[in-house]
Amino acid sequence: MPTDSTERETEELTPGAQRILEVASELFYRRGIHAVGVDTIAAESGVTKRTLYNRFGSKDNLLRIYLETKDRRWRELVVDRLGSENGDPRARVLVPFTVLPEWLTESDRGCSFVNAFAELPERDHPGNRVIRAEKQWLRRFFHDRITEAGAEEGAASTLAVQLLALHEGAIVSNAIAEVPGTVRAVTEAATALVDAALA
Amino acid sequence: MPTDSTERETEELTPGAQRILEVASELFYRRGIHAVGVDTIAAESGVTKRTLYNRFGSKDNLLRIYLETKDRRWRELVVDRLGSENGDPRARVLVPFTVLPEWLTESDRGCSFVNAFAELPERDHPGNRVIRAEKQWLRRFFHDRITEAGAEEGAASTLAVQLLALHEGAIVSNAIAEVPGTVRAVTEAATALVDAALA
DNA sequence: GAGTAGGTACACAGATCTGTATATGCAAGG
DNA sequence: CCTTGCATATACAGATCTGTGTACCTACTC
């Protein structure tokens, strides 16, 4: 069985399936989920619709894999950068902000997860679960790094939520408000909040 | 001609049209724009599809009016609360945050504008314009109140962008991350940033 | 050399979408 | 009284959507 409902890793996908996933990711992100049909995805992948269904089973499943893949890439980027930030504990807290400039080069349409959330109201939809898990992961990332930096529990919880909101807002308002220097300004705010909490 | 493409005010709508607008607002917000058909909107409004088209002309136009109405209500809420906040200039800056608890009682699915933005990629779509104008308005609101509080231009611009991001993030992560106390924590962060900038 | 994996080509079912056409009912205001 | 505004009922056009059925092709592997 090459394709069951719990698709494992991107590397195990056939070349055709990888192209489908790449094209679908771009289209879902740029045009929206419901606005993109499987016919379009198949055509732009240079593949027949039959192949798409043979590889992914359904549009919903393809959507879930799209979100899981994006989630994995985001976590890898953050964790990877964390590895080369062994010095200042405060800099480690701020890694999700310092990676934003490169992350946003290919994400000028806002946050993939927030956008998908707008189109996936049902909490038990697989995609909805992935989205909420992603935000929980980031909040916990902040919380753990803040704790490592020496803050006590209460302060860490509060600061984690504040940084999460600031981070979301940076991506979203960077796309919608289109104010130059948004990322820089928001990163400064995050730095100020961290410094104040760890003072 | 009762219904041209530049519908004036909500008060001028017929009772049927008002019901349609209310139902459409709820459905667009809770289920998404593309996921809701005009048949559903008409049925839930207790109205025929013909009436919907006679009153609003098209789904796109109804969508635009939905966004404009939400925008107007938000601005009115903020400006209204600003009127009863004549004392501390810093409290005036923070009005968009202090109204959040009541605004979010009926908005647990994130920000209407951010959600709609996810489904309206084209910049020249009327709805897209409304959304971007709304964010610009809020940023300018922050900027003007900060300036009134005595900050100089550079600091006001930076702080306005920071508060805008924090504000967006509060609404979005309140809906997705579902962490209790998000609004309170974020408002504290906003207060800290304002205090630091005006020190 | 037979089987299998991956893909093509193409038609089609069945649902749903936006928008329109046509004919009718009813109540208020001139 | 009778036009006009607002709504109803119902059918339909035409497009698009997800998903399937069927038959064929090709290359690699056992």
Side-chain angles (χ1 to χ4, degrees):
Chain A
M1 267 148 277
T3 310
D4 60 348
S5 68
T6 52
E7 194 76 36
R8 291 155 210 83
E9 293 295 329
T10 316
E11 293 76 23
E12 298 185 14
L13 297 178
T14 65
Q18 282 203 14
R19 272 203 325 276
I20 293 171
L21 182 54
E22 284 167 21
V23 168
S25 299
E26 197 65 13
L27 290 179
F28 283 154
Y29 179 61
R30 307 221 89 86
R31 300 191 205 166
I33 296 165
H34 285 115
V36 172
V38 287
D39 293 272
T40 306
I41 297 172
E44 300 229 346
S45 308
V47 144
T48 60
K49 200 166 50 162
R50 204 75 191 84
T51 300
L52 188 152
Y53 275 95
N54 282 340
R55 295 297 111 218
F56 293 96
S58 72
K59 184 187 178 180
D60 258 25
N61 195 45
L62 175 58
L63 169 62
R64 179 183 61 81
I65 295 175
Y66 151 62
L67 289 170
E68 285 177 354
T69 305
K70 203 109 179 185
D71 181 29
R72 211 183 61 239
R73 284 198 194 142
W74 164 248
R75 297 192 194 191
E76 280 172 3
L77 176 62
V78 172
V79 171
D80 191 68
R81 185 60 51 91
L82 187 68
S84 54
E85 205 83 64
N86 285 322
D88 184 11
R90 302 184 185 189
R92 287 169 65 83
V93 176
L94 294 168
V95 162
F97 288 91
T98 51
V99 300
L100 272 187
E102 58 187 287
W103 179 258
L104 291 181
T105 52
E106 47 183 25
S107 299
D108 59 326
R109 273 276 306 156
C111 174
S112 322
F113 305 104
V114 173
N115 289 3
F117 185 81
E119 297 198 66
L120 300 177
E122 295 107 1
R123 286 175 61 85
D124 56 350
H125 189 291
N128 188 296
R129 293 182 201 273
V130 174
I131 294 164
R132 282 181 290 132
E134 195 270 340
K135 297 306 170 208
Q136 289 301 340
W137 179 85
L138 187 54
R139 187 178 63 85
R140 250 173 239 178
F141 177 94
F142 282 130
H143 182 274
D144 293 350
R145 299 294 87 73
I146 295 163
T147 305
E148 285 173 11
E152 86 234 57
E153 177 52 30
S157 292
T158 300
L159 184 54
V161 173
Q162 293 170 336
L163 293 182
L164 179 65
L166 203 50
H167 192 268
E168 291 308 311
I171 300 173
V172 168
S173 78
N174 175 69
I176 305 184
E178 301 172 309
V179 181
T182 293
V183 171
R184 182 192 49 75
V186 168
T187 305
E188 285 175 14
T191 308
L193 289 174
V194 172
D195 284 349
L198 296 179
Chain B
M1 264 149 279
T3 309
D4 60 348
S5 67
T6 53
E7 195 76 36
R8 290 155 209 84
E9 293 294 329
T10 316
E11 293 76 23
E12 298 185 14
L13 297 177
T14 66
Q18 282 204 15
R19 273 203 324 277
I20 295 171
L21 182 54
E22 285 166 21
V23 167
S25 301
E26 198 64 13
L27 291 179
F28 284 155
Y29 178 61
R30 308 220 89 86
R31 299 192 205 166
I33 297 166
H34 285 115
V36 172
V38 287
D39 293 271
T40 307
I41 296 172
E44 300 229 346
S45 308
V47 144
T48 58
K49 201 165 50 163
R50 202 75 192 82
T51 301
L52 189 151
Y53 276 94
N54 280 340
R55 295 297 112 219
F56 294 96
S58 70
K59 184 186 179 181
D60 258 24
N61 195 46
L62 175 57
L63 170 62
R64 179 182 61 80
I65 295 175
Y66 151 62
L67 289 170
E68 285 177 355
T69 304
K70 203 109 179 188
D71 181 29
R72 209 183 61 241
R73 283 196 195 144
W74 164 249
R75 298 192 194 191
E76 280 172 3
L77 176 62
V78 171
V79 171
D80 191 67
R81 185 61 50 92
L82 187 68
S84 54
E85 205 83 62
N86 285 322
D88 184 11
R90 301 184 186 189
R92 288 168 65 82
V93 176
L94 293 168
V95 162
F97 288 91
T98 51
V99 300
L100 272 186
E102 59 186 288
W103 180 257
L104 290 181
T105 53
E106 48 183 24
S107 299
D108 59 325
R109 275 274 307 155
C111 175
S112 323
F113 304 104
V114 173
N115 289 3
F117 185 81
E119 298 199 65
L120 301 176
E122 294 107 2
R123 286 176 61 86
D124 56 351
H125 188 292
N128 188 295
R129 292 181 202 274
V130 174
I131 294 164
R132 282 181 289 132
E134 196 270 341
K135 297 306 169 208
Q136 289 301 339
W137 179 85
L138 187 54
R139 187 178 63 85
R140 250 174 237 179
F141 177 93
F142 283 129
H143 182 274
D144 293 350
R145 298 294 86 71
I146 295 163
T147 305
E148 286 173 11
E152 85 234 58
E153 178 52 30
S157 293
T158 300
L159 184 54
V161 173
Q162 292 169 338
L163 292 182
L164 179 66
L166 203 50
H167 193 268
E168 291 308 311
I171 300 173
V172 168
S173 77
N174 175 70
I176 304 185
E178 300 171 311
V179 181
T182 294
V183 171
R184 181 193 49 74
V186 168
T187 305
E188 286 174 14
T191 309
L193 289 174
V194 171
D195 285 349
L198 295 178

